[in-house]
Amino acid sequence: MTVAAKICGLTDAAAVAAAVENGAAYVGFVFYGPSPRNISPEKAAALTASVPNSVQKVGLFVDPSDDLIRQVLAALPLDLIQLHGSEPPERVRDIKKTFGLPVMKAIKIDSAASIADASPYEGVADMLLFDAKEPKTMKNALPGGNGLTFDWTLLADAKIKSRWMLAGGLNAENIAEAVRISGAHIVDTSSGVEIEPGRKDPAAIKTFLMATQAIETQKQVET
């Protein structure tokens, strides 16, 4: 099994370089003002100028207007639009049609029942991303990147027809177990490779990516 990895919430050149040089399949940039990882389209364009075409550039948006998406795309080409808000399937479909790009929709998980929230997006979104749902009691909670995990066994037997990505509190220490339990083939981390919110640690990025590659090697050896 090959495990691909996305490093999200990148804000500086050293972190982008660490992601690319150590084998990230996706690099993610946040275009959401309240997030400490928010970045301007112009800065994101500068950071992605040297990213090879083999690495997919992802823009994360939260209930965005068409104008915001248009502003970002005018500055840099994205390979994938990630929607991390409360966008209904109709909005996902509309964004795909308007901008001609694949869309990944985040689904917040806190129970077995919340897995069913993915169903209306299957056949609409090109990919799904399963993330931990922030508790109502959590202060200053963000739509994502809160460093929270969820019960990965909820995905183990779920009949998900779409391609999907696992997120939520993933780091080098727990990634092997998360993949083993959930069956994920693609994983996403942000807070798990940070010194503080919005400030990535290049060494932690390298360690995380090495850990995902070790899972791949182990699976290949076992087969």
mmCIF file of all heavy atoms in Angstrom, residues 179-214:
data_model
loop_
_atom_site.group_PDB
_atom_site.id
_atom_site.type_symbol
_atom_site.label_atom_id
_atom_site.label_comp_id
_atom_site.label_asym_id
_atom_site.label_seq_id
_atom_site.Cartn_x
_atom_site.Cartn_y
_atom_site.Cartn_z
ATOM 1 N N VAL A 179 -3.136 4.937 10.099
ATOM 2 C CA VAL A 179 -3.279 4.280 8.801
ATOM 3 C C VAL A 179 -3.706 2.824 8.975
ATOM 4 O O VAL A 179 -4.595 2.325 8.271
ATOM 5 C CB VAL A 179 -1.968 4.384 8.002
ATOM 6 C CG1 VAL A 179 -2.008 3.474 6.774
ATOM 7 C CG2 VAL A 179 -1.709 5.827 7.581
ATOM 8 N N ARG A 180 -3.091 2.151 9.926
ATOM 9 C CA ARG A 180 -3.422 0.736 10.156
ATOM 10 C C ARG A 180 -4.893 0.569 10.526
ATOM 11 O O ARG A 180 -5.581 -0.327 10.030
ATOM 12 C CB ARG A 180 -2.539 0.174 11.281
ATOM 13 C CG ARG A 180 -2.827 -1.285 11.625
ATOM 14 C CD ARG A 180 -1.946 -1.773 12.760
ATOM 15 N NE ARG A 180 -2.194 -1.051 13.996
ATOM 16 C CZ ARG A 180 -3.204 -1.297 14.833
ATOM 17 N NH1 ARG A 180 -4.093 -2.249 14.533
ATOM 18 N NH2 ARG A 180 -3.340 -0.616 15.947
ATOM 19 N N ILE A 181 -5.392 1.439 11.392
ATOM 20 C CA ILE A 181 -6.768 1.301 11.875
ATOM 21 C C ILE A 181 -7.788 1.782 10.848
ATOM 22 O O ILE A 181 -8.800 1.122 10.592
ATOM 23 C CB ILE A 181 -6.946 2.069 13.204
ATOM 24 C CG1 ILE A 181 -6.114 1.414 14.304
ATOM 25 C CG2 ILE A 181 -8.416 2.131 13.601
ATOM 26 C CD1 ILE A 181 -6.096 2.189 15.607
ATOM 27 N N SER A 182 -7.527 2.934 10.260
ATOM 28 C CA SER A 182 -8.521 3.536 9.359
ATOM 29 C C SER A 182 -8.491 2.968 7.947
ATOM 30 O O SER A 182 -9.492 3.002 7.239
ATOM 31 C CB SER A 182 -8.285 5.050 9.275
ATOM 32 O OG SER A 182 -7.070 5.331 8.591
ATOM 33 N N GLY A 183 -7.312 2.488 7.521
ATOM 34 C CA GLY A 183 -7.161 2.032 6.147
ATOM 35 C C GLY A 183 -6.909 3.156 5.163
ATOM 36 O O GLY A 183 -7.030 2.973 3.947
ATOM 37 N N ALA A 184 -6.522 4.317 5.669
ATOM 38 C CA ALA A 184 -6.278 5.474 4.802
ATOM 39 C C ALA A 184 -5.109 5.238 3.851
ATOM 40 O O ALA A 184 -4.101 4.634 4.222
ATOM 41 C CB ALA A 184 -6.001 6.708 5.653
ATOM 42 N N HIS A 185 -5.260 5.741 2.631
ATOM 43 C CA HIS A 185 -4.179 5.717 1.648
ATOM 44 C C HIS A 185 -3.570 7.100 1.457
ATOM 45 O O HIS A 185 -2.508 7.233 0.852
ATOM 46 C CB HIS A 185 -4.682 5.215 0.298
ATOM 47 C CG HIS A 185 -4.976 3.750 0.285
ATOM 48 N ND1 HIS A 185 -5.118 3.033 -0.881
ATOM 49 C CD2 HIS A 185 -5.162 2.858 1.291
ATOM 50 C CE1 HIS A 185 -5.362 1.756 -0.588
ATOM 51 N NE2 HIS A 185 -5.406 1.640 0.712
ATOM 52 N N ILE A 186 -4.276 8.121 1.954
ATOM 53 C CA ILE A 186 -3.787 9.501 1.861
ATOM 54 C C ILE A 186 -3.998 10.154 3.218
ATOM 55 O O ILE A 186 -5.062 10.012 3.819
ATOM 56 C CB ILE A 186 -4.530 10.319 0.777
ATOM 57 C CG1 ILE A 186 -4.666 9.531 -0.517
ATOM 58 C CG2 ILE A 186 -3.801 11.640 0.515
ATOM 59 C CD1 ILE A 186 -5.530 10.215 -1.573
ATOM 60 N N VAL A 187 -2.978 10.863 3.706
ATOM 61 C CA VAL A 187 -3.060 11.481 5.029
ATOM 62 C C VAL A 187 -2.681 12.954 4.937
ATOM 63 O O VAL A 187 -1.981 13.378 4.020
ATOM 64 C CB VAL A 187 -2.152 10.757 6.045
ATOM 65 C CG1 VAL A 187 -2.617 9.316 6.236
ATOM 66 C CG2 VAL A 187 -0.689 10.789 5.602
ATOM 67 N N ASP A 188 -3.154 13.722 5.920
ATOM 68 C CA ASP A 188 -2.986 15.172 5.919
ATOM 69 C C ASP A 188 -2.599 15.618 7.327
ATOM 70 O O ASP A 188 -3.226 15.217 8.301
ATOM 71 C CB ASP A 188 -4.323 15.803 5.508
ATOM 72 C CG ASP A 188 -4.282 17.326 5.441
ATOM 73 O OD1 ASP A 188 -3.523 17.951 6.185
ATOM 74 O OD2 ASP A 188 -5.046 17.894 4.647
ATOM 75 N N THR A 189 -1.566 16.453 7.416
ATOM 76 C CA THR A 189 -1.209 17.017 8.712
ATOM 77 C C THR A 189 -0.961 18.508 8.594
ATOM 78 O O THR A 189 -0.546 18.994 7.544
ATOM 79 C CB THR A 189 0.029 16.332 9.325
ATOM 80 O OG1 THR A 189 0.196 16.773 10.672
ATOM 81 C CG2 THR A 189 1.295 16.661 8.538
ATOM 82 N N SER A 190 -1.227 19.205 9.689
ATOM 83 C CA SER A 190 -0.929 20.629 9.772
ATOM 84 C C SER A 190 -0.350 20.931 11.144
ATOM 85 O O SER A 190 0.836 21.154 11.297
ATOM 86 C CB SER A 190 -2.184 21.471 9.513
ATOM 87 O OG SER A 190 -1.877 22.851 9.545
ATOM 88 N N SER A 191 -1.195 20.883 12.179
ATOM 89 C CA SER A 191 -0.716 21.167 13.528
ATOM 90 C C SER A 191 0.313 20.150 14.001
ATOM 91 O O SER A 191 1.160 20.459 14.840
ATOM 92 C CB SER A 191 -1.892 21.194 14.518
ATOM 93 O OG SER A 191 -2.553 19.942 14.550
ATOM 94 N N GLY A 192 0.269 18.943 13.444
ATOM 95 C CA GLY A 192 1.187 17.888 13.866
ATOM 96 C C GLY A 192 2.630 18.112 13.474
ATOM 97 O O GLY A 192 3.519 17.373 13.916
ATOM 98 N N VAL A 193 2.909 19.130 12.660
ATOM 99 C CA VAL A 193 4.287 19.443 12.262
ATOM 100 C C VAL A 193 4.597 20.917 12.540
ATOM 101 O O VAL A 193 5.377 21.541 11.827
ATOM 102 C CB VAL A 193 4.543 19.101 10.779
ATOM 103 C CG1 VAL A 193 4.501 17.596 10.560
ATOM 104 C CG2 VAL A 193 3.524 19.784 9.857
ATOM 105 N N GLU A 194 3.980 21.442 13.597
ATOM 106 C CA GLU A 194 4.171 22.855 13.921
ATOM 107 C C GLU A 194 4.893 23.067 15.244
ATOM 108 O O GLU A 194 4.746 22.283 16.185
ATOM 109 C CB GLU A 194 2.810 23.571 13.984
ATOM 110 C CG GLU A 194 2.177 23.778 12.622
ATOM 111 C CD GLU A 194 0.880 24.550 12.685
ATOM 112 O OE1 GLU A 194 0.197 24.498 13.729
ATOM 113 O OE2 GLU A 194 0.535 25.201 11.692
ATOM 114 N N ILE A 195 5.619 24.170 15.293
ATOM 115 C CA ILE A 195 6.208 24.644 16.546
ATOM 116 C C ILE A 195 5.140 25.372 17.353
ATOM 117 O O ILE A 195 5.059 25.258 18.575
ATOM 118 C CB ILE A 195 7.396 25.583 16.254
ATOM 119 C CG1 ILE A 195 8.484 24.838 15.480
ATOM 120 C CG2 ILE A 195 7.961 26.179 17.547
ATOM 121 C CD1 ILE A 195 9.560 25.728 14.910
ATOM 122 N N GLU A 196 4.315 26.122 16.642
ATOM 123 C CA GLU A 196 3.166 26.818 17.195
ATOM 124 C C GLU A 196 2.197 27.028 16.045
ATOM 125 O O GLU A 196 2.586 26.898 14.883
ATOM 126 C CB GLU A 196 3.589 28.165 17.810
ATOM 127 C CG GLU A 196 4.238 29.110 16.818
ATOM 128 C CD GLU A 196 4.772 30.370 17.474
ATOM 129 O OE1 GLU A 196 4.898 30.388 18.721
ATOM 130 O OE2 GLU A 196 5.054 31.329 16.753
ATOM 131 N N PRO A 197 0.931 27.330 16.312
ATOM 132 C CA PRO A 197 -0.023 27.493 15.214
ATOM 133 C C PRO A 197 0.447 28.500 14.168
ATOM 134 O O PRO A 197 0.764 29.644 14.492
ATOM 135 C CB PRO A 197 -1.294 27.985 15.929
ATOM 136 C CG PRO A 197 -1.199 27.393 17.290
ATOM 137 C CD PRO A 197 0.267 27.445 17.637
ATOM 138 N N GLY A 198 0.535 28.024 12.930
ATOM 139 C CA GLY A 198 0.966 28.888 11.844
ATOM 140 C C GLY A 198 2.448 28.872 11.581
ATOM 141 O O GLY A 198 2.917 29.483 10.609
ATOM 142 N N ARG A 199 3.220 28.189 12.402
ATOM 143 C CA ARG A 199 4.680 28.140 12.234
ATOM 144 C C ARG A 199 5.132 26.689 12.136
ATOM 145 O O ARG A 199 5.178 25.969 13.115
ATOM 146 C CB ARG A 199 5.371 28.842 13.400
ATOM 147 C CG ARG A 199 6.879 28.933 13.244
ATOM 148 C CD ARG A 199 7.483 29.611 14.454
ATOM 149 N NE ARG A 199 8.941 29.519 14.468
ATOM 150 C CZ ARG A 199 9.687 29.642 15.561
ATOM 151 N NH1 ARG A 199 9.114 29.868 16.728
ATOM 152 N NH2 ARG A 199 10.997 29.550 15.485
ATOM 153 N N LYS A 200 5.426 26.267 10.917
ATOM 154 C CA LYS A 200 5.819 24.883 10.668
ATOM 155 C C LYS A 200 7.280 24.635 11.065
ATOM 156 O O LYS A 200 8.128 25.534 11.004
ATOM 157 C CB LYS A 200 5.638 24.549 9.189
ATOM 158 C CG LYS A 200 4.176 24.507 8.726
ATOM 159 C CD LYS A 200 3.434 23.322 9.291
ATOM 160 C CE LYS A 200 2.031 23.163 8.724
ATOM 161 N NZ LYS A 200 1.074 24.166 9.197
ATOM 162 N N ASP A 201 7.564 23.386 11.444
ATOM 163 C CA ASP A 201 8.912 22.943 11.787
ATOM 164 C C ASP A 201 9.420 22.052 10.652
ATOM 165 O O ASP A 201 8.919 20.942 10.473
ATOM 166 C CB ASP A 201 8.868 22.158 13.099
ATOM 167 C CG ASP A 201 10.230 21.648 13.530
ATOM 168 O OD1 ASP A 201 11.204 21.827 12.775
ATOM 169 O OD2 ASP A 201 10.315 21.056 14.628
ATOM 170 N N PRO A 202 10.381 22.520 9.841
ATOM 171 C CA PRO A 202 10.876 21.698 8.729
ATOM 172 C C PRO A 202 11.346 20.314 9.162
ATOM 173 O O PRO A 202 11.142 19.332 8.446
ATOM 174 C CB PRO A 202 12.019 22.541 8.158
ATOM 175 C CG PRO A 202 11.642 23.953 8.497
ATOM 176 C CD PRO A 202 11.009 23.856 9.850
ATOM 177 N N ALA A 203 11.969 20.235 10.330
ATOM 178 C CA ALA A 203 12.439 18.931 10.812
ATOM 179 C C ALA A 203 11.262 18.003 11.109
ATOM 180 O O ALA A 203 11.319 16.798 10.815
ATOM 181 C CB ALA A 203 13.291 19.115 12.067
ATOM 182 N N ALA A 204 10.182 18.547 11.670
ATOM 183 C CA ALA A 204 9.002 17.735 11.955
ATOM 184 C C ALA A 204 8.318 17.298 10.670
ATOM 185 O O ALA A 204 7.772 16.191 10.591
ATOM 186 C CB ALA A 204 8.029 18.512 12.842
ATOM 187 N N ILE A 205 8.336 18.161 9.655
ATOM 188 C CA ILE A 205 7.781 17.784 8.349
ATOM 189 C C ILE A 205 8.549 16.598 7.782
ATOM 190 O O ILE A 205 7.953 15.619 7.314
ATOM 191 C CB ILE A 205 7.824 18.975 7.376
ATOM 192 C CG1 ILE A 205 6.827 20.058 7.815
ATOM 193 C CG2 ILE A 205 7.523 18.517 5.936
ATOM 194 C CD1 ILE A 205 6.915 21.334 7.005
ATOM 195 N N LYS A 206 9.854 16.675 7.843
ATOM 196 C CA LYS A 206 10.691 15.575 7.332
ATOM 197 C C LYS A 206 10.404 14.284 8.101
ATOM 198 O O LYS A 206 10.234 13.209 7.498
ATOM 199 C CB LYS A 206 12.168 15.939 7.447
ATOM 200 C CG LYS A 206 13.101 14.839 6.967
ATOM 201 C CD LYS A 206 14.567 15.265 7.052
ATOM 202 C CE LYS A 206 15.477 14.148 6.558
ATOM 203 N NZ LYS A 206 16.912 14.551 6.601
ATOM 204 N N THR A 207 10.320 14.383 9.420
ATOM 205 C CA THR A 207 10.069 13.199 10.245
ATOM 206 C C THR A 207 8.720 12.581 9.931
ATOM 207 O O THR A 207 8.584 11.355 9.836
ATOM 208 C CB THR A 207 10.152 13.563 11.736
ATOM 209 O OG1 THR A 207 11.446 14.101 12.020
ATOM 210 C CG2 THR A 207 9.928 12.346 12.615
ATOM 211 N N PHE A 208 7.703 13.428 9.760
ATOM 212 C CA PHE A 208 6.363 12.930 9.440
ATOM 213 C C PHE A 208 6.363 12.217 8.094
ATOM 214 O O PHE A 208 5.803 11.125 7.954
ATOM 215 C CB PHE A 208 5.363 14.090 9.417
ATOM 216 C CG PHE A 208 3.964 13.669 9.058
ATOM 217 C CD1 PHE A 208 3.114 13.145 10.018
ATOM 218 C CD2 PHE A 208 3.500 13.795 7.758
ATOM 219 C CE1 PHE A 208 1.823 12.751 9.683
ATOM 220 C CE2 PHE A 208 2.206 13.406 7.415
ATOM 221 C CZ PHE A 208 1.373 12.880 8.386
ATOM 222 N N LEU A 209 6.990 12.817 7.098
ATOM 223 C CA LEU A 209 7.007 12.204 5.769
ATOM 224 C C LEU A 209 7.814 10.916 5.754
ATOM 225 O O LEU A 209 7.442 9.951 5.074
ATOM 226 C CB LEU A 209 7.544 13.205 4.753
ATOM 227 C CG LEU A 209 6.601 14.400 4.500
ATOM 228 C CD1 LEU A 209 7.290 15.462 3.651
ATOM 229 C CD2 LEU A 209 5.311 13.945 3.830
ATOM 230 N N MET A 210 8.892 10.877 6.509
ATOM 231 C CA MET A 210 9.657 9.634 6.624
ATOM 232 C C MET A 210 8.804 8.544 7.276
ATOM 233 O O MET A 210 8.879 7.368 6.907
ATOM 234 C CB MET A 210 10.930 9.870 7.428
ATOM 235 C CG MET A 210 11.985 10.692 6.685
ATOM 236 S SD MET A 210 13.444 11.030 7.701
ATOM 237 C CE MET A 210 14.091 9.374 7.925
ATOM 238 N N ALA A 211 7.986 8.947 8.247
ATOM 239 C CA ALA A 211 7.115 7.973 8.923
ATOM 240 C C ALA A 211 6.075 7.411 7.964
ATOM 241 O O ALA A 211 5.775 6.214 7.992
ATOM 242 C CB ALA A 211 6.443 8.623 10.129
ATOM 243 N N THR A 212 5.518 8.251 7.100
ATOM 244 C CA THR A 212 4.531 7.748 6.129
ATOM 245 C C THR A 212 5.206 6.828 5.120
ATOM 246 O O THR A 212 4.634 5.821 4.697
ATOM 247 C CB THR A 212 3.824 8.894 5.391
ATOM 248 O OG1 THR A 212 4.746 9.634 4.602
ATOM 249 C CG2 THR A 212 3.130 9.825 6.374
ATOM 250 N N GLN A 213 6.421 7.166 4.730
ATOM 251 C CA GLN A 213 7.144 6.325 3.778
ATOM 252 C C GLN A 213 7.538 4.994 4.401
ATOM 253 O O GLN A 213 7.605 3.972 3.709
ATOM 254 C CB GLN A 213 8.373 7.080 3.268
ATOM 255 C CG GLN A 213 8.002 8.252 2.374
ATOM 256 C CD GLN A 213 9.081 9.307 2.290
ATOM 257 O OE1 GLN A 213 10.236 9.069 2.656
ATOM 258 N NE2 GLN A 213 8.724 10.486 1.820
ATOM 259 N N ALA A 214 7.758 4.993 5.691
ATOM 260 C CA ALA A 214 8.080 3.741 6.379
ATOM 261 C C ALA A 214 6.869 2.807 6.378
ATOM 262 O O ALA A 214 7.013 1.589 6.275
ATOM 263 C CB ALA A 214 8.508 4.022 7.817
#
